[in-house]
């Protein structure tokens, strides 16, 4: 259901119909982020008007038992069931639709209007999100019932409830803001002047249009964008912000003259200033108003005036592009209202001023404002959260999914140093009783190829089995000796450190004197015929491993270097070591980084404690993960552990915890169980898995194994179970087979089979069959 809501909000944003997100309660619009600008220049700020209409105070009782009555009322309301709440919400939505249809009749609009149909459709979708399955039938019948009820009330002359909306007017000086207000009221409500600014203060103008109470907040005109006018414009905008803080408007009108549209994008700085003062939320409820629509049209390439529709479309696109650049987000699309206030403007039979295309702009203005108000009321009534954020971060990134973050928390992390001993493998090697068996084996004669061909099939099999058995014993002996050597080196270092603490530093062995080699000759021109400079790199010590990241399809395809990869592991102390791995890439637009840094402490009993920081790029932002893990190693055949994680992405924080345990049964069976929870951004996810692994007889020399995994995930009121089978074994001495299959409760799964061989090259013919089948299928599609 949440996906439908997100889709609905995206539809509301992408279309030219008014948005359902009101300015009421918007943190970015009425927050304190620019308080330092609001408090400055108090003496020189723009004066406010005195004709302010105060909001109606709520009714209060003077009774001494008002507190008890409020407590009883709260207790009574808390006892209502959810079904009762849904019924009340549907009733209020139905009353709002009835009022909407009555207002449409009042302004002479029909429900067949395309804009009206879009608004009703979105109200229907928003209602479906809130109701349950039992109320679907009622919702489907709601529109027709509301239309009939509205017609009956209008015919009976029943007075409607108060429907008002407040409009904020913004725009440059001389674009016709005050003149438009006078035209809407059909009387001179405010002074106008064709030669100088007529509005020098913020004033609220209240009146009635077609029986609808409308309140306009007229503001002083803004100046053309320049370094000298930016300070004055900022004062005006901050004064407007203070004025509307307690009683925010429902609609914002941004005015511009159609005949003086700036084609050089000079208005971008003015719109960017509006965006900085009020926040991006102001553009959700903004209508672009183009005045002087009856002015002479410019000439086209053929010498004749361009059509009215094409010129309006071109100017509207220029204005919308300025808004997109100010927001750094091209998703928003504002509706456009065309206005003509000239006294000699043509009128229709109803006495309304009409545009050159025959549209009565006054009725269209009322229709847009009513749609804004109705959708805003529906949004407030259904308590929709503001899911849309404008800006470069909102356009280029998205929030990570909790299941993905949970899987990263549950991921097993290696906590052993490269110089340390893997105690699990060491225990398996110690339990083997084959330490001296290889040395006790009798010598064997190695046959040549011609001698081997002369043997019978049974003799060949016995000979190869014997060689394989000896090879396995030899590899185990080498692995055991390697682990023993590493333990001795570690013990020797420990003794040397103790000796140095008592007797001073040991005499360092003389090092070879460094010789500075002459630099190679590089031509002054970096031409492609002399690519010597491309392959030069900095040589570092053995602690850092630096490798280039090659990408032939990257932006610099001639060189192919897309970034660098860094790896290091350093032993800081006897039981403390650090590791850093990461990859950094940079092109002409983006910088990407993926890194993992960790510091671990291991005691003599095998317990380990790790603290790490992971950084990963996500669009233009970074995901930071701080994780800590503790694993106990002093329990026989068991290694329990616990982990904590804190993930920060944009303005959201996610907290996660996990528990895990590893149980070894003999040297061949291993059980790993883990479970975790993550919470953040108002969501929560649970998950866990159990992995049972059966190793081969020759482990750890040969990696034959069979693993069974069961995973459970609970997220957004949905639980998903999945199973996975993974196996890798040898079919013969020269062929290996790997099988991986998984299936979940969503009836989705995958089977992957991989085969590798050093003798049976005919297996590669399978790829030829796949390519041929793809070509035939493509040919069939082209012929259809």
């Amino acid at each position: 259901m949440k996906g439908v809501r997100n889709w609905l909000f995206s539809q509301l944003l992408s279309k030219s119909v008014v948005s359902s997100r009101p300015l009421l309660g918007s943190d970015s619009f009425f927050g304190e982020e620019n308080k330092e600008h609001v408090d400055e220049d108090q003496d020189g700020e723009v004066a406010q008007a005195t004709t302010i209409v105060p909001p109606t105070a709520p009714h209060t009782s003077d009774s001494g038992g008002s507190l008890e009555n409020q407590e009883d009322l709260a207790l009574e309301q808390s006892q209502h069931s959810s079904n009762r709440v849904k019924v009340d919400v549907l009733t209020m939505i139905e009353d709002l639709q009835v009022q909407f249809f009555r207002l449409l009749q009042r302004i002479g609009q029909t429900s067949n209007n395309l804009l009206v149909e879009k608004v009703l459709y979105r109200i229907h979708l928003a209602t479906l999100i809130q109701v349950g399955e039992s109320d679907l039938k009622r919702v489907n019948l709601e529109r027709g019932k509301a239309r009939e009820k509205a017609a009956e009330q209008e015919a009976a002359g029943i007075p409607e409830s108060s429907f008002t909306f407040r409009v904020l007017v913004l725009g440059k000086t001389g674009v016709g803001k005050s003149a438009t207000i006078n035209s809407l009221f059909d009387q001179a409500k405010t002074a106008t002047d064709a030669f100088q600014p007529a509005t020098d203060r913020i004033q609220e103008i209240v009146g009635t249009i077609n029986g609808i109470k409308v309140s306009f907040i007229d503001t002083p005109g803004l100046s053309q964008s320049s370094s000298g006018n930016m300070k004055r414009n900022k004062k005006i905008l901050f004064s407007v912000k203070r004025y509307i803080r307690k009683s925010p408007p429902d609609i914002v009108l941004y005015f511009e003259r159609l005949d003086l549209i700036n084609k050089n994008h000079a208005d971008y700085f003015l719109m960017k200033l509006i965006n900085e003062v009020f926040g991006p939320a102001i553009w959700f409820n903004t209508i672009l108003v183009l005045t002087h629509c009856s002015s002479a049209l410019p000439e086209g390439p053929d010498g004749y005036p361009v059509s009215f529709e094409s010129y309006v479309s071109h100017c509207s696109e220029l204005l919308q592009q300025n808004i997109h650049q100010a927001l750094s987000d091209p998703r928003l699309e504002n509706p456009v209202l065309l206005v003509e206030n000239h006294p000699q403007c043509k009128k229709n039979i109803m006495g309304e001023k009409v545009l050159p295309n025959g549209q009565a702009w006054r009725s269209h203005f009322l229709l847009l404002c009513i749609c804004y108000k109705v959708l805003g009321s529906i949004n407030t009534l259904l308590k929709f959260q503001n899911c849309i954020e404008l800006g470069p971060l909102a356009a280029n990134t998205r929030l990570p999914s909790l299941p993905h973050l949970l899987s990263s928390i549950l991921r097993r992390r290696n906590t052993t140093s490269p110089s340390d001993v893997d105690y699990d493998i060491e225990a398996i090697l110690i339990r083997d009783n084959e330490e001296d068996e290889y040395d006790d084996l009798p010598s064997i004669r190695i046959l040549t190829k011609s001698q081997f061909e002369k043997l019978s099939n049974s003799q060949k099999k016995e000979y190869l089995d014997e060689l394989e058995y000896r090879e396995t014993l030899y590899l185990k002996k080498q692995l055991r000796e390697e682990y023993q050597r590493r333990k001795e080196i570690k013990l020797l270092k420990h003794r040397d450190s103790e000796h140095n603490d008592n007797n001073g530093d040991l005499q360092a062995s003389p090092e070879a004197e460094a010789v500075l080699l002459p630099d190679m000759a590089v031509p002054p021109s970096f031409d492609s015929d002399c690519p010597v400079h491309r392959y030069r790199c900095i040589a570092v010590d053995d602690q850092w491993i630096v490798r280039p990241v090659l990408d032939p399809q990257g932006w610099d395809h001639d060189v192919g270097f897309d970034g660098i990869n860094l790896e290091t592991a350093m032993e800081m102390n006897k039981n403390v070591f650090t590791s850093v791995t990461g990859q950094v890439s940079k092109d002409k637009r983006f910088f990407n980084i993926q890194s993992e840094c960790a510091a671990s402490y291991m005691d003599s009993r095998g317990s380990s404690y790790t603290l790490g920081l992971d950084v990963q790029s996500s669009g233009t932002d970074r995901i930071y993960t701080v994780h800590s893990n503790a694993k106990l190693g002093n329990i026989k055949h068991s290694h329990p552990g616990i982990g904590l994680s804190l993930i920060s992405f944009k303005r959201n924080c996610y907290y996660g915890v996990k528990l895990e345990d590893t149980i070894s049964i003999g040297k061949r069976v291993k059980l790993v169980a883990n479970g975790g929870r993550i919470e953040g951004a108002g969501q929560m996810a649970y998950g866990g898995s159990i992995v049972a692994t059966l190793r081969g007889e020759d482990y750890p020399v040969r990696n034959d194994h069979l693993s069974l995994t069961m995973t459970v995930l609970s997220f957004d009121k949905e639980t998903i179970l999945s199973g996975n089978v993974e196996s890798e074994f040898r079919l013969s001495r020269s062929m290996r087979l790997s099988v991986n299959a998984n299936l979940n409760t969503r009836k989705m799964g995958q089977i992957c089979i991989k085969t590798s061989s050093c003798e049976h090259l005919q297996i590669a013919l399978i790829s030829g069959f796949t390519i041929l089948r793809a070509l035939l299928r493509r040919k069939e599609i082209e012929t259809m």
Side-chain angles (χ1 to χ4, degrees):
M1 189 64 70
K2 184 181 178 183
V4 178
R5 180 183 298 184
N6 293 340
W7 174 83
L8 170 63
F9 283 134
S10 65
Q11 292 293 315
L12 293 173
L13 179 64
S14 61
K15 302 297 181 182
S16 60
V17 186
V18 293
S19 170
S20 69
R21 175 175 176 174
L23 297 179
L24 299 175
S26 175
D27 294 336
S28 60
F29 193 79
F30 303 103
E32 302 291 337
E33 68 278 1
N34 293 316
K35 186 175 180 180
E36 64 276 4
H37 297 289
V38 177
D39 296 334
E40 67 179 4
D41 299 327
Q42 294 290 337
D43 297 334
E45 66 181 12
V46 181
Q48 298 182 0
T50 57
T51 58
I52 302 176
V53 181
T56 304
H59 176 70
T60 58
S61 176
D62 296 334
S63 174
S66 61
L67 180 60
E68 289 80 1
N69 294 335
Q70 292 178 3
E71 293 178 353
D72 295 340
L73 180 60
L75 180 61
E76 181 180 356
Q77 291 179 351
S78 64
Q79 294 176 350
H80 287 319
S81 63
S82 60
N83 293 334
R84 178 63 178 171
V85 173
K86 290 181 180 179
V87 171
D88 293 340
V89 170
L90 291 179
T91 303
M92 288 185 285
I93 293 177
E94 182 179 348
D95 294 340
L96 191 59
Q97 284 186 337
V98 171
Q99 194 176 34
F100 180 55
F101 284 118
R102 294 188 64 181
L103 291 172
L104 292 179
Q105 297 182 20
R106 189 76 55 83
I107 63 177
Q109 297 288 344
T110 64
S111 58
N112 296 328
N113 187 288
L114 179 60
L115 181 60
V116 175
E117 287 293 333
K118 289 183 178 181
V119 172
L120 293 175
Y121 174 67
R122 294 178 182 185
I123 294 176
H124 181 70
L125 288 180
T127 308
L128 291 178
I129 294 176
Q130 290 294 113
V131 303
E133 296 182 359
S134 59
D135 298 322
L136 290 179
K137 185 176 180 181
R138 177 180 174 182
V139 173
N140 294 331
L141 299 176
E142 198 172 70
R143 182 187 300 184
K145 183 179 178 181
R147 185 182 289 107
E148 295 175 358
K149 191 174 180 180
E152 294 176 358
Q153 292 182 0
E154 282 293 318
I158 300 176
E160 60 177 352
S161 59
S162 59
F163 184 89
T164 64
F165 53 84
R166 304 182 78 237
V167 182
L168 174 63
V169 177
L170 294 176
K172 291 183 292 187
T173 300
V175 294
K177 301 186 297 297
S178 301
T180 302
I181 295 176
N182 293 336
S183 298
L184 289 171
F185 288 115
D186 201 14
Q187 56 179 309
K189 287 276 189 177
T190 179
T192 59
D193 196 317
F195 302 100
Q196 61 182 357
T199 305
D200 57 355
R201 68 185 186 276
I202 302 174
Q203 56 183 352
E204 188 164 348
I205 304 169
V206 182
T208 302
I209 305 176
N210 287 29
I212 304 173
K213 186 178 180 180
V214 184
S215 176
F216 287 94
I217 304 174
D218 195 10
T219 61
L222 303 175
S223 303
Q224 292 286 346
S225 299
S226 64
S227 58
N229 296 329
M230 291 300 291
K231 187 174 182 180
R232 177 182 179 276
N233 293 339
K234 186 177 294 186
K235 286 184 180 180
I236 295 175
L237 294 178
F238 277 115
S239 299
V240 173
K241 184 175 182 179
R242 288 194 299 271
Y243 186 88
I244 65 178
R245 186 182 301 276
K246 295 183 179 180
S247 183
D250 301 304
I251 302 102
V252 178
L253 301 181
Y254 182 82
F255 281 77
E256 184 60 82
R257 289 186 58 161
L258 181 66
D259 56 340
L260 296 178
I261 287 288
N262 196 322
K263 299 181 181 180
N264 297 325
H265 301 281
D267 295 335
Y268 159 75
F269 299 100
L270 183 58
M271 293 183 176
K272 187 176 181 180
L273 180 61
I274 296 175
N275 185 64
E276 293 175 355
V277 174
F278 296 100
I282 189 175
W283 301 109
F284 277 104
N285 283 20
T286 298
I287 300 175
L288 306 180
V289 182
L290 298 179
T291 60
H292 293 76
C293 291
S294 296
S295 302
L297 298 174
E299 294 183 355
D302 54 357
Y304 293 93
V306 298
S307 64
F308 179 76
E309 288 77 11
S310 62
Y311 183 66
V312 168
S313 176
H314 175 69
C315 295
S316 302
E317 184 178 355
L318 289 177
L319 199 59
Q320 191 71 64
Q321 286 179 0
N322 290 333
I323 298 177
H324 291 168
Q325 292 180 2
L327 287 171
S328 299
D329 193 338
R331 298 178 298 168
L332 186 65
E333 185 176 354
N334 298 94
V336 178
L337 174 67
L338 304 179
V339 173
E340 179 54 62
N341 299 312
H342 198 277
Q344 298 182 358
C345 178
K346 296 182 180 179
K347 299 182 179 180
N348 57 12
I349 58 176
M350 303 295 296
E352 296 180 329
K353 295 181 179 180
V354 296
L355 301 172
N357 59 359
Q359 183 185 37
W361 65 266
R362 189 168 176 266
S363 299
H364 187 59
F365 164 78
L366 292 176
L367 177 60
L368 285 176
C369 293
I370 291 172
C371 292
Y372 263 109
K373 181 69 175 181
V374 169
L375 287 179
S377 301
I378 291 291
N379 188 25
T380 305
L381 184 62
L382 298 181
K383 299 179 180 180
F384 281 152
Q385 296 180 352
N386 296 330
C387 300
I388 302 175
E389 295 182 4
L390 293 177
L393 295 180
N396 298 329
T397 62
R398 59 181 183 180
L399 293 178
S401 63
L402 285 190
H404 173 73
L405 297 179
L406 182 60
S407 64
S408 65
I409 293 177
L410 297 178
R411 178 171 60 92
R412 290 176 55 84
R413 299 178 183 270
N414 185 21
T415 59
T416 58
S417 171
S419 62
D420 284 336
V421 177
D422 193 332
Y423 294 100
D424 188 16
I425 297 180
E426 182 190 24
I428 295 175
L429 294 174
I430 292 176
R431 284 196 295 265
D432 289 341
N433 298 322
E434 304 167 352
E435 182 176 359
D436 300 328
E437 187 174 351
Y438 179 78
D439 296 332
D440 296 339
L441 290 176
S443 60
I444 184 175
R445 179 185 176 188
I446 304 300
L447 302 178
T448 62
K449 184 176 181 180
S450 59
Q451 292 174 343
F452 179 78
E453 295 295 336
K454 295 178 180 179
L455 299 177
S456 61
N457 293 334
S458 60
Q459 290 175 338
K460 290 181 180 179
K461 184 177 181 304
E462 293 177 358
Y463 177 74
L464 294 177
D465 290 342
E466 180 66 21
L467 289 180
E468 183 178 354
Y469 176 69
R470 288 172 176 265
E471 180 186 8
T472 302
L473 294 181
Y474 179 72
L475 292 177
K476 287 185 178 181
K477 177 185 176 182
Q478 278 192 326
L479 186 60
R480 190 180 297 108
E481 292 176 351
E482 176 66 19
Y483 272 80
Q484 187 66 27
R485 185 184 64 84
R486 291 167 64 179
K487 289 184 64 176
E488 291 176 356
I489 292 176
K490 185 177 180 181
L491 182 60
L492 182 60
K493 288 183 179 180
H494 177 57
R495 291 177 180 176
D496 291 342
S497 61
E498 293 180 350
H499 181 68
N500 293 335
D501 293 339
N502 298 327
N503 301 325
D505 296 334
L506 295 177
Q507 183 177 0
S509 58
E511 297 181 357
E513 183 180 357
V515 179
L516 183 62
L517 297 178
D519 195 6
M520 64 179 66
V522 179
S525 175
F526 290 154
D527 190 72
S528 59
D529 296 334
C530 185
V532 177
H533 67 284
R534 302 175 186 168
Y535 308 105
R536 302 179 66 188
C537 62
I538 300 176
V540 296
D541 55 9
D542 295 337
Q543 290 184 349
W544 286 91
I545 301 177
V546 183
R547 295 190 297 266
V549 179
L550 302 180
D551 184 12
Q553 304 301 325
W555 65 273
D556 198 353
H557 57 84
D558 191 17
V559 174
F561 286 180
D562 193 42
I564 59 173
N565 185 287
L566 301 175
E567 293 183 17
T568 185
M570 296 175 288
E571 188 172 358
M572 309 300 295
N573 202 346
K574 174 184 175 182
N575 296 325
V576 179
F577 63 91
T578 60
S579 62
V580 178
T581 60
Q583 179 174 316
V584 179
S585 60
K586 177 71 172 68
D587 58 15
K588 293 181 178 180
R589 293 183 300 172
F590 301 108
F591 172 78
N592 296 320
I593 180 174
Q594 288 84 28
S595 67
E596 296 183 2
C597 307
S600 300
Y601 169 79
M602 297 188 65
D603 56 21
S604 58
R605 297 175 297 178
S607 300
S608 62
Y609 308 91
T610 305
L611 179 64
L613 172 65
D614 298 346
V615 181
Q616 181 180 358
S617 297
S618 177
T620 58
D621 212 325
R622 306 285 183 267
I623 300 178
Y624 300 94
T625 303
V626 180
H627 58 87
S628 62
N629 298 274
K631 182 174 291 187
L632 302 179
N634 56 352
I635 303 177
K636 187 177 181 180
H637 305 303
S638 179
H639 299 279
I642 184 173
L644 301 175
S645 295
L646 173 62
I647 302 174
S648 174
F649 178 65
K650 296 177 67 175
R651 299 179 180 178
N652 299 311
C653 289
Y654 303 87
Y655 311 91
V657 60
K658 71 171 180 177
L659 295 174
E660 62 181 0
D661 193 8
T662 302
I663 302 175
S664 299
I665 305 176
K667 75 169 188 176
R668 299 187 59 188
V669 180
K670 181 179 180 181
L671 299 177
V672 178
N674 58 26
R677 164 186 170 178
I678 187 172
E679 181 178 357
Q683 298 177 331
M684 185 183 303
Y686 300 86
S689 64
I690 300 177
V691 182
T693 303
L694 177 62
R695 298 159 172 163
E697 296 181 353
D698 299 329
Y699 180 83
V701 175
R702 307 191 189 280
N703 195 25
D704 295 349
H705 67 276
L706 173 63
S707 298
L708 302 177
T709 305
M710 179 62 67
T711 305
V712 59
L713 172 65
S714 177
F715 174 66
D716 197 16
K717 299 181 181 181
E718 182 180 6
T719 302
I720 300 176
L721 298 176
S722 62
N724 182 76
V725 179
E726 181 182 358
S727 178
E728 184 177 351
F729 54 91
R730 292 195 304 167
L731 292 177
S732 63
R733 293 182 178 86
S734 60
M735 181 178 295
R736 294 189 64 85
L737 181 66
S738 175
V739 180
N740 191 344
N742 58 75
L743 182 66
N744 58 29
T745 52
R746 285 186 173 181
K747 298 181 180 180
M748 300 174 62
Q750 181 182 13
I751 298 178
C752 179
I753 301 176
K754 296 181 180 180
T755 304
S756 61
S757 174
C758 59
E759 294 182 359
H760 303 281
L761 300 180
Q762 57 270 25
I763 299 178
L765 297 177
I766 299 177
S767 61
F769 171 76
T770 306
I771 296 174
L772 180 61
R773 182 180 179 183
L775 292 176
L776 293 177
R777 181 177 299 178
R778 182 177 180 181
K779 185 177 181 180
E780 292 177 358
I781 295 176
E782 292 177 352
T783 55
M784 291 179 61

